[in-house]
Amino acid sequence: MAILTAPGLATGMAYAAPAAPVAPAAPGAPAAPEPGAKSLEQVRKEMEELFRQAGTATDAYNLAEAEAKAQSDKIVEIANLIVAGQERITTLKSRAGAAARAQYRSGGLPPSANLALSDDPGHFLDGAGRMRQGEKAASDMLTELDRTQNDLKRYAEEASAHWATLEANRIKQENAKKQIEEKIKAAEELENKLEAEEKARLIQLEQEAQYKAQTAWLSTGAMKDVNGLATDAGKRAVQYATAQMGKPYVWGAEGPGSFDCSGLTSQAWLAAGRPIPRTSQEQLRLLPKVAIKDMRPGDLIIYFDDASHVAMYVGDGAMVHAPRPGRNVTMAGAGSMPIKAVVRPDA
């Protein structure tokens, strides 16, 4: 098996967190829920789905934010090109004006005419080359002026298109933000209705569900041949990710005090010297995929059919991730959620 690089786990053993013991009902404990009332397990599943949907919206928000920033940067670049082009046109027009004033001072005749009327053939022949050079320079100047004006027109059209894209991305951001807030609020309202004992039991149910999924995953033999070793960059990424354990999940956050799931993985690999896409969906789309049997510490595990969650594999069947709002960056079993794919930032 892969050597575990995360602290607190025995090496050489596939990670399967023990199920939390179920405490017996104490005397005087709350009565069973009334018929028709939601069970705590139903509440857990409903909250889990709401937070998953919030995760999908968070990915959409983060992607729109990244695209908006790219469009803003492009608009600034175009603005600088427009300024430089306008300065170039000013210079060319100044040169053209100087040439016109020189022609006026020579009696309104172009240099070629003055040379042609010269009584000195030697002077004429000597100046013929300069005349051709002057004519070419004037032609080149007009050509450059025309090209620069066309460039400015194109820049203006590009800027307009980028502004439109920027505005569309801002609308996507706002819509995604609204969805995130609605889903998180709905989940929090469910949780807030619970008594303190029920909230503790809810955490226990979450752990039991994760343990059950991890145990089922391990029973398939998924970890049987997984023994890849982390690269130096992978080790640095894992060290960064595990050092963030205990910090809260905040949607859209990239550290240093809080993270969302892809904020954690993207920052970990940035710390390892390898910038990767910001969102879990873009990480899935753009990073090379590897088989689970070839997984090594530092690889990213993409979860759910919509690629709405991502974690970092740290070895021995474990991963580290930022789970959801209300929870902190933690370690869990790599198979505790449905795996969609594994991708490798340092392929």
Side-chain angles (χ1 to χ4, degrees):
M1 299 297 294
I3 296 175
L4 186 68
T5 52
L9 295 175
T11 57
M13 297 180 63
Y15 179 84
V22 179
E34 297 178 2
K38 291 181 180 178
S39 70
L40 201 55
E41 176 63 10
Q42 287 174 318
V43 171
R44 182 195 71 79
K45 288 182 177 180
E46 190 171 340
M47 288 178 62
E48 182 180 88
E49 178 60 19
L50 286 167
F51 281 126
R52 192 192 66 76
Q53 292 173 10
T56 302
T58 297
D59 230 32
Y61 176 90
N62 289 335
L63 180 58
E65 184 177 46
E67 290 176 343
K69 184 182 183 305
Q71 295 301 326
S72 294
D73 291 344
K74 188 64 179 178
I75 288 168
V76 171
E77 178 186 335
I78 291 172
N80 289 332
L81 290 172
I82 289 174
V83 169
Q86 289 172 335
E87 290 175 349
R88 183 59 180 159
I89 285 177
T90 299
T91 300
L92 292 171
K93 286 183 176 179
S94 177
R95 285 170 52 190
R101 289 192 295 274
Q103 181 175 326
Y104 176 78
R105 287 194 298 271
S106 68
L109 293 174
S112 57
N114 285 327
L115 287 169
L117 295 173
S118 173
D119 292 331
D120 184 351
H123 176 64
F124 175 83
L125 293 174
D126 181 56
R130 291 195 301 274
M131 178 183 70
R132 285 192 294 271
Q133 291 175 354
E135 289 174 343
K136 184 177 185 305
S139 175
D140 289 347
M141 181 176 65
L142 292 173
T143 299
E144 185 175 355
L145 179 61
D146 184 60
R147 183 174 62 248
T148 304
Q149 289 174 327
N150 287 334
D151 285 345
L152 288 179
K153 181 181 178 181
R154 188 178 77 254
Y155 294 153
E157 291 171 349
E158 289 180 1
S160 178
H162 284 292
W163 273 114
T165 304
L166 177 62
E167 183 59 24
N169 284 326
R170 284 176 175 160
I171 292 172
K172 283 195 287 186
Q173 277 181 278
E174 288 302 316
N175 290 338
K177 181 179 179 181
K178 184 179 179 182
Q179 290 181 39
I180 294 165
E181 292 172 342
E182 288 176 350
K183 299 300 181 183
I184 292 177
K185 182 180 178 181
E188 288 176 341
E189 285 177 350
L190 284 173
E191 191 168 20
N192 290 338
K193 292 177 181 178
L194 303 177
E195 300 294 336
E197 294 83 358
E198 291 176 315
K199 289 181 180 179
R201 176 60 179 150
L202 180 66
I203 294 175
Q204 189 178 45
L205 288 174
E206 289 177 0
Q207 294 172 343
E208 289 173 355
Q210 292 170 8
Y211 173 76
K212 182 178 179 181
Q214 174 74 352
T215 302
W217 181 66
L218 292 174
S219 69
T220 65
M223 289 295 298
K224 180 182 177 182
D225 298 318
V226 180
N227 55 13
L229 300 177
T231 61
D232 288 342
K235 290 177 183 177
R236 291 194 296 272
V238 168
Q239 288 168 357
Y240 179 96
T242 54
Q244 312 314 310
M245 289 172 62
K247 294 182 179 180
Y249 177 106
V250 174
W251 69 266
E254 300 177 84
S258 57
F259 297 86
D260 64 18
C261 65
S262 57
L264 177 65
T265 55
S266 60
Q267 288 300 304
W269 272 102
L270 183 62
R274 174 72 167 90
I276 64 172
R278 169 63 176 88
T279 70
S280 56
Q281 292 173 352
E282 288 296 280
Q283 289 167 4
L284 172 65
R285 187 173 72 88
L286 297 174
L287 297 179
K289 296 177 181 63
V290 296
I292 290 177
K293 67 180 180 63
D294 297 322
M295 191 164 55
R296 67 191 186 198
D299 287 346
L300 305 183
I301 306 175
I302 309 295
Y303 293 99
F304 303 111
D305 286 341
D306 60 359
S308 57
H309 192 70
V310 61
M312 178 176 291
Y313 182 64
V314 296
D316 288 354
M319 57 82 164
V320 64
H321 69 146
R324 66 164 177 83
R327 299 291 182 262
N328 297 330
V329 176
T330 189
M331 193 173 292
S336 57
M337 292 177 287
I339 296 175
K340 181 176 180 64
V342 177
V343 297
R344 178 162 293 166
D346 62 340

